[in-house]
Amino acid sequence: MAVPQDVHVRICNQEIVKFDLEVKALIQDIGDCSGPLSALTELNTKVKEKFQQLRHRIQELEQSAKEQDKESEKQVLLQEVENHKKQMLSNQTSWRKANLTCKIAIDNLEKAELLQGGDLFRQRKTAKESLAQTSSAITESLMGISRMMSQQVQQSEEAMQTLVNSSRTILDANEEFKSMSGTIQLGRKLITKYNRRELTDKLLIFLALALFLATVLYIVKKRLFPFL
């Protein structure tokens, strides 16, 4: 059984809000994280999964908006989609800042441990390399998200251009309809005038015929009955 359009939209919005809150909570955990690096990696993996689910729901909501019959409802949903995209970009920025905060905390912890023993130097180097790899992976993920958002914006621009072209076509059709209406009105007036002219001509023919018959009868009467 197909899910009604409004129900699907409501479910999408609820899921988007849910994933957005989960992303914010994970980002807060990253900001509060002071190590170890494995904990940060685990948190970033969860954030990536939530972002993927969030993007999927936003795309579903955008598709539902494009399928709306009423233009007003379509525009409202498209505006909601745009707001969700902006919120997702804001979360991505917060994610990056939280990772930097966590990196600083890990560095500070490693410095403290380094003061306690030289053997921690190699661990610090390894942690930095791992953190650099994690940062590189995050950067690649953000670049992929940016490309996706760019494609979505381009699609939105194309949709808007299609709407503009459709509006122009409707205006042109309306002008043609007005022109045809004027022609039809003129034709109707000509037909009415022609019908009146035809009625007048018939009346004149009838009177001429009556006059002719009267004349003939008069002549016949004079010839056949001259004494009358």
Side-chain angles (χ1 to χ4, degrees):
M1 181 176 179
V3 180
Q5 190 81 0
D6 56 343
V7 175
H8 181 68
V9 169
R10 186 165 60 252
I11 292 174
C12 282
N13 276 318
Q14 291 174 351
E15 291 292 321
I16 289 171
V17 172
K18 172 188 173 184
F19 292 138
D20 179 72
L21 293 175
E22 291 177 350
V23 166
K24 284 182 170 60
L26 288 171
I27 292 174
Q28 182 64 39
D29 291 338
I30 292 174
D32 296 336
C33 178
S34 58
L37 186 61
S38 58
L40 175 61
T41 302
E42 183 180 355
L43 288 172
N44 280 320
T45 299
K46 293 181 180 179
V47 172
K48 290 178 183 178
E49 293 176 355
K50 295 302 177 181
F51 267 128
Q52 184 176 1
Q53 294 172 334
L54 181 60
R55 285 197 303 272
H56 179 68
R57 281 302 185 182
I58 291 175
Q59 290 173 353
E60 285 187 359
L61 181 62
E62 185 173 20
Q63 183 62 33
S64 298
K66 294 178 180 179
E67 294 174 358
Q68 292 295 319
D69 295 330
K70 295 183 179 180
E71 185 63 24
S72 58
E73 295 179 357
K74 178 187 296 184
Q75 293 301 324
V76 169
L77 288 179
L78 287 176
Q79 184 60 46
E80 290 183 5
V81 170
E82 189 66 23
N83 292 337
H84 290 316
K85 289 179 179 179
K86 291 180 180 179
Q87 184 61 45
M88 187 169 68
L89 288 175
S90 176
N91 288 337
Q92 291 167 1
T93 302
S94 300
W95 181 26
R96 184 182 304 173
K97 292 180 179 179
N99 270 278
L100 292 176
T101 301
C102 183
K103 177 183 176 182
I104 293 173
I106 292 176
D107 286 343
N108 291 334
L109 180 62
E110 289 179 352
K111 288 178 182 179
E113 292 176 350
L114 184 59
L115 294 175
Q116 298 175 2
D119 292 339
L120 296 177
F121 177 76
R122 289 188 297 273
Q123 297 179 5
R124 177 185 177 185
K125 183 178 179 181
T126 302
K128 284 187 175 181
E129 291 176 352
S130 299
L131 188 58
Q133 293 177 356
T134 302
S135 299
S136 177
I138 293 173
T139 301
E140 292 178 0
S141 177
L142 290 175
M143 290 178 63
I145 293 172
S146 298
R147 287 193 294 268
M148 184 272 292
M149 297 299 293
S150 178
Q151 293 176 356
Q152 294 296 329
V153 170
Q154 184 178 359
Q155 291 177 1
S156 299
E157 291 177 353
E158 292 176 355
M160 289 300 295
Q161 185 61 38
T162 301
L163 290 174
V164 171
N165 293 336
S166 299
S167 299
R168 291 176 180 173
T169 302
I170 293 173
L171 289 176
D172 292 340
N174 187 34
E175 291 298 328
E176 290 188 20
F177 177 75
K178 290 180 180 179
S179 177
M180 291 177 61
S181 297
T183 303
I184 293 172
Q185 291 291 336
L186 179 59
R188 183 180 299 173
K189 291 180 180 179
L190 291 174
I191 291 173
T192 302
K193 184 177 180 180
Y194 174 78
N195 290 335
R196 293 177 180 174
R197 180 72 175 274
E198 184 180 8
L199 179 61
T200 302
D201 292 344
K202 288 181 179 179
L203 181 60
L204 291 175
I205 292 172
F206 176 76
L207 292 176
L209 182 61
L211 180 60
F212 173 76
L213 291 176
T215 304
V216 171
L217 289 175
Y218 178 77
I219 294 173
V220 170
K221 177 183 176 183
K222 288 295 184 180
R223 289 183 176 273
L224 297 178
F225 307 101
F227 50 86
L228 293 178

